[in-house]
Amino acid sequence: MGHKYDVYGMGNALVDMEFEVTPEQLASLGIDKGVMTLVEEARENELIAQLAQQRGKQSSGGSAANTLVALAQLGGTGFYACKVGKDEAGAFYLQDLNNCGLDTNPHHETAGEGITGKCLVFVTPDADRTMNTFLGISGSLSVTEMDWSALKQSQYLYLEGYLVTSPSAKAACIEAKAIAEQSGVKTCLSLSDPNMAKFFQDGLKEMLGSGVDLLFANEAEALEMAGTSDLNQAIAYCKSIAKNFALTRGGEGSLIFDGENLLTIGTPKVQPIDTVGAGDMYAGGFLYGLTHGMDYEKAGQLASETAAKVVTCYGPRLETDILQEILQSVQTV
């Protein structure tokens, strides 16, 4: 049976607002650098007001959404299950998904009167990214928003680790994973952030269940999840929870386990200015490769090239023509 979608993704629907700040500003605002922190709406609005002069561009985001947008730009097909409110930000978000060629669940039936989630992304001169997130109505994502027919017609189910913070979203992930396994759909999970592995580890283990086909993690997340400072031990742990995995290591490239061999994938030497979306872009490139006939090494090369490119500009996305150029160059090597 043919597949309608390469990837069925589940994640938070967040409108990203980007700000260029210094580490000193983050400290003065009481913001922990380099991680994602959940905040209440009042705190989010307070920060927006204080940093109004430094506000950059706005885009529809959320980790899994960024991954599926990259997949679509490369030429893949995706379905994104999410939840937005009946407000201006929600309308902006859904229109952007549509413009990117992604399908989504019918929101006119399930969208509540709540507020669409927002993520404040703080970029410091060292290219690090720090996030303060108000989930809004996205925090109540549940099985109600799921389209099981679309899931069953997909090659992969992609779960965003950030969903572990919401009991209803976590439950939806667990049910989606069970349905995927029953339907022959491969499962993958992104650990998303070191704080998820640190503070929500039990929930992530519930989402992992008996294991996934493919795990995405960066080195810090893998070490935290494995409870070690030894990379080899973290690798062994990843092998115990996933048939295959991609472990990113920033400028040192990535390690990919294809089920038999541990592959070392290099990364182009670039001058990063903003690491927002690097992991999301990597996952998008990797999933495109796997769903379009590439082996793990070639998919890893595509993922590495796209991630290296996105850190040289602000924001989590690249122009479609740039991604297509990278794809063509990788295919001809």
Side-chain angles (χ1 to χ4, degrees), residues 1-332:
M1 186 188 79
H3 295 95
K4 183 175 181 180
Y5 301 107
D6 296 322
V7 181
Y8 179 103
M10 294 171 58
N12 288 313
L14 305 171
V15 174
D16 288 341
M17 298 179 178
E18 194 158 293
F19 301 84
E20 292 180 50
V21 297
T22 64
E24 291 75 21
Q25 280 181 292
L26 288 181
S28 68
L29 291 166
I31 298 171
D32 292 333
K33 185 177 180 294
V35 296
M36 191 283 287
T37 305
L38 293 176
V39 297
E40 296 298 324
E41 183 186 8
R43 171 63 169 162
E44 192 96 324
N45 290 336
E46 173 193 337
L47 290 170
I48 291 171
Q50 289 192 48
L51 295 164
Q53 299 303 313
Q54 287 150 278
R55 183 168 166 182
K57 60 183 177 181
Q58 176 175 295
S59 62
S60 64
S63 177
N66 293 334
T67 291
L68 264 72
V69 167
L71 172 90
Q73 288 179 300
L74 285 164
T77 54
F79 186 102
Y80 188 55
C82 61
K83 189 169 188 176
V84 298
K86 291 181 180 177
D87 53 16
E88 185 178 340
F92 167 81
Y93 194 95
L94 294 178
Q95 185 60 53
D96 196 48
L97 284 184
N98 182 260
N99 292 345
C100 292
L102 295 170
D103 287 346
T104 187
N105 46 296
H107 290 264
H108 61 278
E109 297 172 4
T110 60
E113 299 301 328
I115 300 167
T116 298
K118 297 178 182 65
C119 178
L120 307 189
V121 182
F122 306 104
V123 181
T124 41
D126 61 358
D128 198 12
R129 63 99 175 96
T130 300
M131 295 177 288
N132 273 204
T133 303
F134 166 60
L135 290 175
I137 200 170
S138 185
S140 61
L141 180 73
S142 69
V143 293
T144 304
E145 286 72 50
M146 297 303 114
D147 184 326
W148 301 132
S149 175
L151 171 58
K152 292 174 183 178
Q153 297 178 75
S154 303
Q155 290 192 59
Y156 278 87
L157 165 67
Y158 181 80
L159 303 175
E160 175 188 300
Y162 286 126
L163 294 179
V164 72
T165 65
S166 161
S168 63
K170 181 181 72 173
C173 287
I174 292 169
E175 184 160 346
K177 181 172 178 286
I179 291 173
E181 289 169 344
Q182 293 163 10
S183 306
V185 178
K186 292 184 178 180
T187 59
C188 50
L189 170 73
S190 167
L191 292 183
S192 294
D193 189 278
N195 269 355
M196 299 301 101
K198 183 175 182 179
F199 298 113
F200 296 93
Q201 188 165 134
D202 289 344
L204 285 174
K205 288 178 178 177
E206 287 181 67
M207 288 168 64
L208 283 162
S210 59
V212 291
D213 291 296
L214 177 59
L215 178 76
F216 289 99
N218 65 29
E219 186 172 354
E221 294 156 4
L223 291 170
E224 187 69 53
M225 201 71 187
T228 182
S229 58
D230 184 287
L231 180 60
N232 289 324
Q233 289 182 23
I235 289 169
Y237 177 79
C238 289
K239 288 180 180 178
S240 75
I241 60 174
K243 293 177 183 176
N244 312 280
F245 63 78
L247 198 163
T248 56
R249 307 184 67 208
E252 294 184 56
S254 57
L255 297 172
I256 293 173
F257 182 60
D258 66 3
E260 294 182 2
N261 305 299
L262 188 66
L263 310 172
T264 300
I265 307 295
T267 187
K269 298 301 178 187
V270 297
Q271 183 60 50
I273 63 171
D274 177 8
T275 57
V276 172
D280 305 335
M281 180 65 72
Y282 185 100
F286 197 77
L287 286 168
Y288 174 83
L290 291 186
T291 54
H292 287 77
M294 293 184 186
D295 60 20
Y296 279 82
E297 184 171 15
K298 184 70 82 170
Q301 290 169 357
L302 175 62
S304 186
E305 292 279 351
T306 56
K309 189 66 175 179
V310 81
V311 302
T312 64
C313 56
Y314 287 106
R317 296 188 190 175
L318 292 169
E319 294 296 328
T320 300
D321 59 347
I322 294 175
L323 277 169
Q324 286 295 320
E325 286 175 14
I326 295 172
L327 175 60
Q328 290 172 20
S329 70
V330 169
Q331 287 174 328
T332 55

